[in-house]
Amino acid sequence: MILLSRLIIPVAFMLFYVSTLAQQTPLKIRFDEPAAQWEAHLPLGNGRLGMMPSGGVTSEKITLNDITLWSGAPQDANNYKANEKLEEIRQLIIQGRNDEAQDLVNKEFVCVGPGSGDEPFGKFQTMGDLDISYNYKGINAESLKPVGYNRELLLNEAVASTSFELNGVNYSREYFTSFGDDVGIIRLTADQPGMLDFEVSMSRPERFQTTTDGKILKMSGELESGTREMGMQYMAMVKVKVMDGTVEASENSLKVKNATEAILFLSAGTDYKNPDFITKTEELLESAENRSYKAQKKQHVKNFQKYFNRLSLNLKGPEANSLTTDERLRSFMEVNTSDNGLPVLFFQYGRYLTISSTRVGLLPPNLQGLWANQVQTPWNADYHLDVNVQMNHWPVEVTNLSEFNLPLTELVRGLVEPGERTAKAYYNAEGWVAHVVTNIWGFTEPGESASWGLSNAGSGWVCNNLWQHYEFTQDKEYLKSIYPILKGSAEFYNSVMMRDPQTGWLVTAPSVSPENSFVLPNGNHASICMGPTIDNQIVRELFNNVIFASGELGLDEEFRNTLILKLDQIPPAGRIGKDGTLMEWLRDYPDADAKHRHISHLYGLYPANLITPDATPKLAEASRKVLEVKGDDGPSWAIAYKMIYWARLLDGDRAYKLLTGILRPTLDTNINYGAGGGVYPNLLSAGPPFQIDGNFGATAGIAEMLIQSHSGYIELLPALPDIWKTGGEINGIKARGNFTVNMKWENGRVTDYKIMSPDQKPVQVKVNGKLINIVSSKL
Ligand code: FUC
C-alpha cells in the first residue's frame, strides 16, 4: 500500500480539503407566463404521487399521477409451441436466410395476442386533472391583466409556485407533493382579505366518476384490464381548508368564496398491491389536514433534501440566471451565450426527477418517469428493456442516490418467474429471459413483431443495473439477494447459446440488435440474426459477474467453472468490420439505416467496461468511428447515449456538443424516430414526445465527464470540456467501491480532492493524468 506521503497533491490538501461549497447556482425553472402546453407544466412528485400545475390565472390544470396506475392485468402470452420452431429458425439463420427466419418468427415465435398493442399488456395512464377555475371579483375578462407574473419550480425544495398581482391584490400559490404526509398540497393566498374565489373539480379522459361526500370531492374509477378480471381501481380525494370565507360542495365540485387563504389537500391511491387503498387515502388526507402548512412544508423539504443535498455542483463562468427558462434555452442555443449554470441546472434536474419519480418499495420511473397527461401514453409509458429503463437508472449510483435503484431491482425480481416460463416456451431453456418490453404485470414474452420484439438482451442488460448497485455500494447482503436473479439470467444464456458453424463461437439465436436492421446479400432487410454484438457483450459481462459473485458468496462452483469455460467460446467484446467500425452483427452486414438511433453494439463501451481507450484502443477507435457515422442527432435518449459514449472515449468537448443537442428548445410532440430530441420549456426531454430517459441519460453523461471508475481506479475529470475548464467544484459524487468524492479544479487541473469511504482503504486515483495509490479518508 502506498501511503499519503507519496501523493502528487500535497498531503495537506487531502487532509484539510476545504469544502463544502453548497450548491450556489440557483436551481430554478422559471417562467413569466402560465404554461401554454402540457410540456411547460412544472413536474412535482414524491416517488408515488405526481402533480403538474399549469399556473393559469383564470383556470388552472394540475395533471395528477400515481406511479402505480396502470391498465391491463397479469397474463400468459407465451406461445408454448414456439420452441418446436426453434431449430427451423436457427437453420434458416445459419443458411443466411434471415428474411425467411424473420417471417417464421413473426408467425410462430412472437407473443400470443396483441402484445404491447393493447390490454392486458396495459399502459401507465394519467390519473386525471385537478381543475381550478378562479373568479376575480369585480374584474371583467378584458381587464384581467396580471402584473409581475412569476411561475417557478425550486429544485432544492421540490416546491412550485405561481404569483402575480391583479387589480392591486397579490395572489400567490405554492404546490408540492409532500415527502411528509404523502399527499399533494396547494396553498393559495391573497394579500387582501376575502379576495379568493374559486371552484375545484376533477376529471379524466375516461373511466371516472366524481362526487362530493360532505366537503370532500372524490374521483374514482376502474381501468380496462383486458381480461375477465377487474381492472385497477383508483381513488382521488380533495379537501379544502380556508382562512376566512366558505367552502361549499356541489354535486361534483367544491366552491370557495371570500377566502384569504386556502389549502387544498389531494390524497390519491390505487389498489395495486394495496387492497385497503381507500382507507389509506382517507387516512393520509386526515393526517395532512391536521398538520399546519408550515410544519408540513418543513417536513417535506427536510425529507426531500436528505437525498437532494448529498451532492452539489458548481461550475465557474457566466450564468444566465436572470432569464426565464424558455429564454435561457433560446439564448444558450441561438445566441450561443455561455451559461454554465444551465448544465448544472439540467444535471441537478435529473437528480430531482429521480427522487421525485420513484421510491423504495414502489415502482421504478417508466418512460415518462411519473408524469403522464394521457390515457394512451406513448409506447404505453412502459418499461423498455432495450435501453430506456436502464438509462433511467444510469445516474442513480454515481450521483449519490443509490437507494433509488432498488425499485428496479424489485421489478426485475418479479420477472424471474414469468421469465422462466418464457425461456421454456420459446427456447426450451433453463433460467429466465425477458425481451424488449415489460410492465408492472411481469411481461417477459417477445414483443409482437420480429423486427424489434425478440432482442435476447433485455434480461441480461437489466442485470447490469443490479450489478452497478453492488459495485457502487459493495453491499454483500444485496449481492446475496440479487445472485439468484443474475444466476438465472446466466443460466438462460448458458443453455440457449448455439454454435455458429462458420466461426465456431457460441451465440444467441434467434435475436436482434435492438430495433435495428441490416441488408442481406439478396437486398432484403432483416433484423432477426444470431449473436448480435450486444448479446455477446452482455453474456460476457454477465458471466464474469456471476463468476465473481459465486466465488464471493462461496456458491455454485460447478456452474462457475462451466461459465469460465464458456467465456472462451463466445465472440470477443468487439470485432472490427471492413469499414473500420465496430461490427453490430456477427456478420459484416451493411446497416439498413446507417444513422439508426440505437447504438447497441457499443454496450461494451458503456454501461459495460469491456471497451476502454486504455485497455482496448483499437476497439475504442472502432467505436469512435461508429459514432462518427451515426452523427450527433436522434431522440434525446440517443443523443444522451452518444454523449456518454464520447465521455467514455475521453472526449469532453464532443460530449458537451451532444449535451447542447439535448438542450435544444422544442415544442414538438409528434412521435419521432430519427433526428429530433431537445427539451421542452419545463426541461423535460423530448424524443419527441416527452420521454424522461433523455433527462436521466444527460445527468449520467455529465457525471461521466466529471468522474469515471469502471477500470479499477477512479479518474477525476476524465472528459472535462474546454468550457468548464476555468474552474468548478463537486461534492458528494460517488465512485465504484463505495467511495464518495469531493474535488475542485482550476484551469482544467484538479487542485484539491478528497476520497472518502466508510472504512479507510487503499484506492487508485488518476489525477491530472497520473495514476497514484492512496488511502481513502473516513467518511
Ligand atoms: C425504443 C426507441 C424509441 C423509443 C421507445 C420508447 O423503441 O427505439 O425511440 O424511445 O423505445
Side-chain angles (χ1 to χ4, degrees):
M1 187 196 310
I2 297 171
L3 290 177
L4 288 176
S5 57
R6 292 194 43 191
L7 293 183
I8 51 153
I9 304 245
V11 173
F13 277 154
M14 284 297 296
L15 294 179
F16 306 110
Y17 179 94
V18 219
S19 95
T20 38
L21 256 188
Q23 189 68 56
Q24 288 176 320
T25 304
L27 298 174
K28 260 186 202 179
I29 297 176
R30 191 173 72 77
F31 302 94
D32 57 10
E33 57 189 11
Q37 69 185 70
W38 182 64
E39 290 76 9
H41 288 216
L42 295 170
L44 296 163
N46 67 2
R48 185 179 74 86
L49 280 183
M51 294 199 309
M52 285 180 80
S54 67
V57 173
T58 51
S59 68
E60 169 142 35
K61 212 172 241 332
I62 302 170
T63 316
L64 304 178
N65 287 107
D66 180 310
I67 191 75
T68 64
L69 190 70
W70 270 75
S71 62
Q75 62 167 327
D76 187 342
N78 287 300
N79 173 0
Y80 287 96
K81 291 212 162 119
N83 64 76
E84 291 168 15
K85 298 289 171 195
L86 180 63
E87 197 43 44
E88 198 180 334
I89 293 165
R90 287 179 164 177
Q91 284 308 320
L92 287 169
I93 297 173
I94 287 172
Q95 291 161 24
R97 294 156 67 191
N98 303 56
D99 43 355
E100 292 169 53
Q102 185 142 338
D103 290 341
L104 194 52
V105 168
N106 269 326
K107 270 200 219 109
E108 312 274 357
F109 216 78
V110 291
C111 57
V112 175
S116 63
D118 207 346
E119 273 71 34
F121 183 87
K123 6 184 180 305
F124 173 69
Q125 301 191 338
T126 181
M127 187 168 250
D129 290 315
L130 179 68
D131 290 300
I132 311 180
S133 68
Y134 299 94
N135 172 44
Y136 298 97
K137 289 184 194 109
I139 307 181
N140 56 27
E142 292 83 65
S143 56
L144 249 177
K145 297 212 170 56
V147 179
Y149 183 95
N150 187 62
R151 179 168 73 89
E152 64 182 42
L153 171 63
L154 198 55
L155 300 194
N156 319 51
E157 299 196 349
V159 174
S161 61
T162 302
S163 59
F164 53 87
E165 186 201 311
L166 200 57
N167 217 14
V169 181
N170 288 303
Y171 294 92
S172 71
R173 309 175 193 155
E174 264 191 342
Y175 326 68
F176 59 93
T177 42
S178 185
F179 281 84
D181 269 327
D182 204 4
V183 294
I185 294 196
I186 304 160
R187 179 181 182 241
L188 314 168
T189 59
D191 73 347
Q192 286 177 30
M195 292 305 283
L196 279 175
D197 275 17
F198 61 89
E199 180 171 5
V200 188
S201 56
M202 281 193 281
S203 64
R204 144 173 235 284
E206 60 172 38
R207 294 175 170 265
F208 74 103
Q209 63 254 348
T210 50
T211 55
T212 46
D213 177 1
K215 297 219 170 147
I216 300 179
L217 172 66
K218 294 185 175 174
M219 176 170 74
S220 58
E222 183 195 328
L223 304 192
E224 173 66 54
S225 73
T227 67
R228 269 190 243 130
E229 306 297 312
M230 276 184 90
M232 187 175 286
Q233 311 213 19
Y234 68 90
M235 164 67 83
M237 303 176 183
V238 177
K239 197 163 178 186
V240 189
K241 209 157 109 178
V242 289
M243 195 174 95
D244 309 329
T246 55
V247 184
E248 266 173 46
S250 73
E251 206 181 322
N252 42 27
S253 73
L254 299 176
K255 285 189 181 127
V256 173
K257 285 210 174 98
N258 305 325
T260 309
E261 177 185 321
I263 302 172
L264 273 70
F265 300 92
L266 167 92
S267 185
T270 76
D271 69 348
Y272 177 71
K273 296 186 179 173
N274 189 12
D276 285 342
F277 73 107
I278 294 185
T279 317
K280 277 259 179 58
T281 307
E282 284 164 354
E283 281 168 6
L284 286 173
L285 188 67
E286 204 182 309
S287 159
E289 62 174 322
N290 286 336
R291 213 195 289 227
S292 76
Y293 179 78
K294 207 172 150 202
Q296 182 75 244
K297 187 175 167 192
K298 199 168 162 205
Q299 188 66 46
H300 161 74
V301 172
K302 187 169 166 230
N303 291 355
F304 170 77
Q305 289 187 340
K306 188 173 85 192
Y307 307 111
F308 192 76
N309 288 356
R310 286 179 191 162
L311 186 152
S312 64
L313 170 65
N314 292 291
L315 295 175
K316 283 192 182 156
E319 294 191 1
N321 289 323
S322 58
L323 299 179
T324 57
T325 305
D326 43 349
E327 285 165 353
R328 191 172 188 179
L329 286 169
R330 260 195 307 276
S331 101
F332 190 72
M333 200 47 51
E334 286 162 17
V335 196
N336 201 12
T337 323
S338 56
D339 175 5
N340 281 347
L342 187 61
V344 171
L345 177 67
F346 202 56
F347 173 75
Q348 288 287 30
Y349 194 39
R351 297 185 65 247
Y352 165 86
L353 293 170
T354 292
I355 303 166
S356 305
S357 64
T358 182
R359 174 192 293 185
V360 177
L362 276 182
L363 291 162
N366 56 52
L367 283 171
Q368 296 202 173
L370 160 69
W371 299 279
N373 66 337
Q374 290 162 290
V375 164
Q376 176 53 70
T377 35
W379 293 283
N380 306 316
D382 66 13
Y383 297 105
H384 263 55
L385 298 171
D386 64 348
V387 69
N388 315 88
V389 78
Q390 289 90 349
M391 184 175 282
N392 281 1
H393 294 80
W394 286 345
V396 161
E397 296 296 336
V398 65
T399 72
N400 212 337
L401 296 173
S402 186
E403 58 271 70
F404 293 93
N405 233 336
L406 299 175
L408 179 66
T409 303
E410 294 318 307
L411 185 88
V412 175
R413 201 185 297 285
L415 297 182
V416 172
E417 217 183 288
E420 286 171 351
R421 285 196 289 277
T422 300
K424 282 268 173 313
Y426 290 80
Y427 309 89
N428 209 6
E430 310 281 293
W432 69 280
V433 63
H435 293 85
V436 178
V437 285
T438 193
N439 52 17
I440 64 165
W441 312 115
F443 189 90
T444 50
E445 293 84 345
E448 60 271 22
S449 167
S451 64
W452 55 267
L454 207 66
S455 166
N456 277 195
S459 32
W461 192 337
V462 93
C463 283
N464 166 278
N465 291 75
L466 273 52
W467 187 255
Q468 283 197 31
H469 184 76
Y470 170 68
E471 277 197 302
F472 275 86
T473 60
Q474 299 291 301
D475 180 345
K476 216 162 157 183
E477 283 307 308
Y478 175 79
L479 182 63
K480 259 190 221 155
S481 95
I482 61 165
Y483 178 73
I485 307 175
L486 304 187
K487 182 184 166 196
S489 180
E491 277 172 339
F492 169 76
Y493 294 110
N494 177 48
S495 89
V496 85
M497 284 191 300
M498 61 162 233
R499 203 165 293 280
D500 165 29
Q502 206 170 310
T503 58
W505 281 318
L506 286 178
V507 289
T508 52
S511 189
V512 301
S513 185
E515 304 185 32
N516 206 355
S517 53
F518 47 86
V519 186
L520 287 165
N522 67 7
N524 287 347
H525 292 190
S527 301
I528 291 294
C529 64
M530 66 173 131
T533 300
I534 184 170
D535 287 14
N536 307 330
Q537 294 170 337
I538 281 175
V539 170
R540 179 169 295 280
E541 178 194 44
L542 178 67
F543 282 13
N544 272 317
N545 292 344
V546 173
I547 290 165
F548 176 88
S550 71
E552 190 75 5
L553 300 172
L555 297 167
D556 301 321
E557 193 178 340
E558 206 180 308
F559 185 54
R560 178 174 3 154
N561 290 334
T562 306
L563 296 186
I564 291 170
L565 288 178
K566 290 276 173 85
L567 274 180
D568 283 340
Q569 302 174 53
I570 61 178
R575 292 158 64 227
I576 301 171
K578 44 186 180 310
D579 63 357
T581 64
L582 200 86
M583 282 163 63
E584 179 157 2
W585 294 279
L586 197 62
R587 311 277 183 254
D588 202 359
Y589 301 123
D591 230 306
D593 166 10
K595 300 223 178 285
H596 192 273
R597 61 197 178 280
H598 282 268
I599 330 119
S600 315
H601 43 318
L602 268 52
Y603 176 92
L605 180 63
Y606 186 97
N609 63 354
L610 300 168
I611 300 175
T612 65
D614 273 0
T616 59
K618 286 194 182 128
L619 296 182
E621 175 56 19
S623 305
R624 198 186 61 75
K625 286 199 176 127
V626 170
L627 293 172
E628 293 294 8
V629 173
K630 289 270 183 183
D632 292 348
D633 218 324
S636 283
W637 68 261
I639 304 178
Y641 206 168
K642 290 171 194 172
M643 172 188 173
I644 301 175
Y645 284 142
W646 281 111
R648 279 274 170 110
L649 291 172
L650 310 177
D651 189 335
D653 282 336
R654 189 64 177 260
Y656 182 79
K657 176 172 181 270
L658 274 293
L659 175 62
T660 63
I662 300 173
L663 287 169
R664 190 180 61 78
T666 185
L667 298 175
D668 290 350
T669 54
N670 288 339
I671 282 192
N672 161 72
Y673 286 99
V679 288
Y680 295 114
N682 61 11
L683 294 188
L684 288 175
S685 74
F690 161 47
Q691 205 172 290
I692 206 161
D693 38 22
N695 288 95
F696 291 133
T699 295
I702 293 173
E704 212 62 26
M705 290 157 83
L706 300 173
I707 191 166
Q708 293 180 16
S709 62
H710 55 280
S711 292
Y713 56 86
I714 300 173
E715 180 160 7
L716 306 182
L717 305 181
L720 195 67
D722 282 346
I723 196 157
W724 296 348
K725 282 197 171 146
T726 316
E729 174 168 7
I730 188 160
N731 293 311
I733 198 156
K734 299 287 286 190
R736 286 170 186 77
N738 199 11
F739 294 106
T740 307
V741 178
N742 295 350
M743 66 173 150
K744 289 182 188 162
W745 68 93
E746 259 170 55
N747 302 319
R749 291 181 69 77
V750 175
T751 53
D752 197 356
Y753 70 99
K754 187 170 183 178
I755 296 181
M756 297 158 282
S757 51
D759 295 313
Q760 287 188 278
K761 55 184 179 182
V763 53
Q764 272 203 318
V765 199
K766 201 173 196 179
V767 194
N768 298 328
K770 273 207 183 135
L771 202 56
I772 55 172
N773 293 292
I774 63 160
V775 174
S776 59
S777 320
K778 192 154 171 54
L779 190 64

